[in-house]
Structure formats: C-alpha cells, structure tokens
Amino acid sequence: MPATWIKNAVQKGVKLILADLGGPNSRAMPRMSCKFKPDTDVALLNAMLHVIVEEGLVAEAFVRDRTSGYEALRDNVKKFSPELMAPVCGIPAHTIREVARLYATSRGSMILWGMGYRSTCTAPTMRAA
C-alpha cells in the first residue's frame, strides 16, 4: 500500500510535501502542504521546474545520461515563474520556490501521482462501503 510506505518513510525522517486538492485527513503528516486549485497541477510543476532551472539546481549528469529534450523543456519553463503561476495554482510564490528547492536538493525525490478515490469510476462503490 502506498499510504503505508509513505507513512513509514516519514517516520524515518523523509520530508513529505503534499500537493493535492484537499481532503479531511490529507494533511495529517506532511512537512508542507500545498492545496492547489483543480486542474492546475501542471502549472504548479512547471513553476517548480522554472525554479529548479533558474537557480541551477538541475542534476546535470542525470539529465544528460537519462533524458532527451531537456533543452526544449528548459526553454519552455521560462514562461512559468512562481510569481505568474501563484494566482493560477492558489499557492504563494514563496511556497512554490521552497517546495522546488526541497525537491531538487534532497538525496532522492519523487512525485507520486494518484487520482484518489473521488476521481475513479469506482468512487460511488467505495463511498458506500
């Protein structure tokens, strides 16, 4: 279960940043919580990438060895500063910058994306259970 894995990691000192649309128990354990507006997750990620590129926090060797098309991405995210994306996402620019820095400078980072039970085709069944 991803939830158990995440809880165990946090208990071991992993810094968890939760970015979601919200929920009753979703903010119980993260270091930071970023409640973004619906349909703005890509804007938030672009703003984070903007910071990572702008501040020279890119893992150059990783990008060189394991990706393609980085130059196009680098050029594209210049348009998505945290200051421009803050009103779109509903997250303050300084928070977007802090989250991007934590993400880029941690020993290991990942983004775990999930739709949650509210966004699945089985949501009515799950709610009734």
Side-chain angles (χ1 to χ4, degrees):
M1 294 281 304
T4 301
W5 181 78
I6 291 169
K7 286 178 185 177
N8 290 340
V10 169
Q11 289 172 352
K12 292 177 183 176
V14 169
K15 295 174 184 156
L16 174 66
I17 300 168
L18 181 66
D20 74 341
L21 298 173
N25 299 316
S26 62
R27 284 168 187 67
M29 63 180 188
R31 174 166 188 227
M32 295 179 68
S33 183
C34 300
K35 184 178 178 187
F36 57 88
K37 295 177 184 177
D39 300 322
T40 64
D41 50 342
V42 173
L44 171 61
L45 294 172
N46 280 335
M48 288 175 60
L49 282 166
H50 175 96
V51 173
I52 292 166
V53 170
E54 175 188 73
E55 296 186 5
L57 302 174
V58 175
E60 299 290 342
F62 183 92
V63 169
R64 181 187 63 247
D65 297 342
R66 300 181 189 194
T67 68
S68 62
Y70 171 72
E71 293 77 16
L73 174 95
R74 180 194 61 214
D75 295 342
N76 186 58
V77 299
K78 290 178 183 177
K79 303 180 284 192
F80 299 99
S81 72
E83 291 71 24
L84 289 175
M85 294 299 102
V88 173
C89 300
I91 300 171
H94 67 86
T95 301
I96 296 171
R97 287 186 179 281
E98 184 177 357
V99 168
R101 289 174 187 133
L102 283 169
Y103 183 82
T105 61
S106 74
R107 187 172 59 88
S109 297
M110 75 172 192
I111 294 174
L112 181 62
W113 179 85
M115 291 175 58
Y117 79 91
R118 287 170 272 170
S119 301
T120 66
C121 61
T122 59
T125 306
M126 294 174 74
R127 286 189 193 131

